[in-house]
Amino acid sequence: MLNTLVKEAIEVNMPDQYWVQAELASVRENRGHCYMELIEKDSIDGSLRAQARACCWKNTWMRVGRKFTEATGAPLHAGMKVLMLVHANFHEAFGFSWIVEDIDPTFTLGDMEQRRREILRKLREEGVIDLQKQLRISPFCKRIAVISSATAAGYGDFCNQLADNGYGFQFETQLFPAIMQGEQVESSIVAALDKVFNGDFDCLVIIRGGGSTADLSGFDTLALAENVANFPLPIITGIGHDRDQSVLDIVACVSVKTPTAVAEFLISNLASTLERVETCATRLTMATQQYMEREKMRIQSLAQRIDSSSERRLLIEDNRLKLLAQRIEAVDPVNILRKGYSITLHNGVSVKDAAMLKEGDEVKIMFATGTAEALVK
């Protein structure tokens, strides 16, 4: 048979093992074996240049798969670039495939880092990488939009930390569920961002549980980074990893390690505001008390000056009145009459000149004691 000849030719001419670089188009496990579709794309236009099947048998896959996952933090998945140690195999019934003997996880991590750097370069060129850093978290930030998996332990930790804060702060949170691991991270979070955009919130929180750099590769995409960078609300990330920051962390307004740390940040933000308000209240109270004390002293001083001035004024007026009384007493007609003088009245008018009278006029003469009437001759 022709296929038998092909098999023999491959076994004779390709007996060695080869390190092969390829992109995974698909990955699936069946009965402990791992079946993969390998592709190579053109570096310029991305067109397909080569394609082949690969298989890692159960005994080998148990070792190789575990080692790869432990090193990268993620299992093999479509879209990942890998470096595999393979040997050629041709089966008369199933055709050609590469049999995988080993996988180098450092190559995959290096490819992811290169892609990450390229994304950051594009974000800098677009001038959006620092847009979120220009936003400010409100000092009264209490209305929180949350993008996370509803069943994630990290989300539960976040909510519990906010609810059990020692200050008794009441936060308002609303969950916008999203897929936080795997190939759908980008599209799922972007869809959630669109929903948050129409709400009324002080900030947005993106959280998930722990993971390694490779496990968090979904957060290292250009489209997701652009959406986060241009989002109008300040975004706080806590996607639970202790290694290098993801692209999402870099473009966010604030980045902390874990969901619990995000909750602590929000609590601390409100606590700082409370402290500032209480400090201002204390200062205002002290300033008011000092002002009132100064005014009290000023009023007391004015009262003393007014009292002293009033006493002096009353004394002066009393002396003036006494002098006026003396003057009035001195010119009192009664006192003059007592000295022997008299007053002559004609028709009720005092006579000051004899020419005012003529013979026959009747006059009335007033003395200090008593009166008398007379007839002018």
Side-chain angles (χ1 to χ4, degrees):
M1 294 178 61
L2 183 59
N3 280 1
T4 301
L5 294 176
V6 172
K7 177 181 180 180
E8 292 175 353
I10 290 176
E11 290 176 348
V12 171
N13 294 286
M14 299 182 66
D16 300 325
Q17 294 180 331
Y18 307 92
W19 283 103
V20 176
Q21 297 180 19
E23 179 179 332
L24 296 174
S26 65
V27 180
R28 65 182 180 87
E29 290 188 50
N30 185 22
R31 297 182 179 180
H33 310 299
C34 182
Y35 300 94
M36 295 161 273
E37 191 74 25
L38 308 182
I39 58 174
E40 180 182 354
K41 296 180 180 178
D42 189 279
S43 59
I44 298 177
D45 60 12
S47 60
L48 185 65
R49 295 180 57 186
Q51 184 172 2
R53 291 180 298 172
C55 177
C56 189
W57 301 123
K58 181 177 181 179
N59 291 338
T60 303
W61 176 241
M62 290 178 61
R63 171 181 55 84
V64 171
R66 180 173 61 253
K67 182 182 71 171
F68 183 87
T69 301
E70 289 175 351
T72 64
L76 292 177
H77 59 78
M80 186 177 283
K81 291 186 178 180
V82 293
L83 178 62
M84 296 180 168
L85 180 63
V86 300
H87 69 264
N89 176 73
F90 188 86
H91 191 278
E92 295 90 333
F94 303 106
F96 179 82
S97 64
W98 293 106
I99 304 301
V100 179
E101 301 292 344
D102 200 1
I103 305 175
D104 184 359
T106 60
F107 174 83
T108 301
L109 290 172
D111 176 71
M112 294 171 64
E113 178 60 23
Q114 182 178 356
R115 183 180 64 174
R116 177 175 174 273
R117 292 179 180 179
E118 178 63 19
I119 291 173
L120 293 175
R121 184 189 66 79
K122 290 182 179 179
L123 292 172
R124 291 188 183 96
E125 285 183 354
E126 295 171 3
V128 300
I129 195 168
D130 292 323
L131 288 181
Q132 273 280 318
K133 299 295 188 297
Q134 299 173 18
L135 302 178
R136 293 292 176 266
I137 305 292
S138 167
F140 301 95
C141 183
K142 296 179 65 178
R143 299 170 299 171
I144 317 298
V146 183
I147 294 180
S148 179
S149 170
T151 59
Y155 172 63
D157 293 341
F158 170 80
C159 293
N160 292 335
Q161 187 78 3
L162 285 185
D164 297 336
N165 71 86
Y167 297 91
F169 297 144
Q170 298 295 316
F171 291 90
E172 302 172 18
T173 63
Q174 182 175 343
L175 176 65
F176 294 83
I179 297 172
M180 304 303 286
Q181 184 171 331
E183 299 177 18
Q184 299 181 38
V185 168
E186 176 188 292
S187 59
S188 182
I189 293 181
V190 170
L193 286 172
D194 291 339
K195 295 177 182 177
V196 175
F197 184 83
N198 297 319
D200 186 16
F201 302 98
D202 297 319
C203 76
L204 167 63
V205 167
I206 301 178
I207 55 176
R208 57 151 285 164
S212 69
T213 302
D215 194 29
L216 303 172
S217 60
F219 298 96
D220 290 334
T221 71
L222 180 61
L224 179 57
E226 289 173 334
N227 275 271
V228 168
N230 288 283
F231 203 72
L233 284 178
I235 294 178
I236 307 171
T237 59
I239 52 181
H241 59 96
D242 296 322
R243 302 185 184 183
D244 294 336
Q245 287 182 309
S246 68
V247 173
L248 187 65
D249 291 322
I250 293 173
V251 300
C253 178
V254 176
S255 171
V256 295
K257 292 298 183 182
T258 64
T260 300
V262 175
E264 291 173 350
F265 174 86
L266 293 170
I267 295 169
S268 176
N269 179 64
L270 266 188
S272 297
T273 302
L274 176 61
E275 182 179 358
R276 290 195 297 271
V277 170
E278 290 178 340
T279 299
C280 289
T282 300
R283 290 177 178 175
L284 179 60
T285 300
M286 293 178 61
T288 302
Q289 290 174 344
Q290 292 173 355
Y291 176 79
M292 294 297 291
E293 189 64 29
R294 288 196 302 268
E295 288 301 301
K296 180 180 179 180
M297 294 175 63
R298 186 178 69 85
I299 292 172
Q300 289 175 345
S301 177
L302 286 174
Q304 291 175 355
R305 290 166 58 188
I306 291 172
D307 288 345
S308 177
S309 177
S310 298
E311 290 175 358
R312 288 197 300 272
R313 186 66 182 176
L314 288 172
L315 181 59
I316 292 172
E317 292 300 316
D318 183 62
N319 292 332
R320 189 174 69 85
L321 289 174
K322 289 179 180 179
L323 290 174
L324 288 175
Q326 292 174 359
R327 291 178 183 177
I328 292 172
E329 186 177 358
V331 296
D332 189 344
V334 173
N335 292 330
I336 296 174
L337 292 176
R338 287 175 180 171
K339 294 179 180 180
Y341 296 97
S342 64
I343 299 175
T344 303
L345 302 175
H346 178 249
N347 295 328
V349 178
S350 62
V351 178
K352 299 178 180 179
D353 187 351
M356 295 175 60
L357 301 174
K358 63 181 184 293
E359 186 177 352
D361 287 341
E362 293 181 355
V363 296
K364 185 176 183 180
I365 302 171
M366 295 180 60
F367 302 95
T369 303
T371 59
E373 294 182 355
L375 183 65
V376 179
K377 294 184 177 180

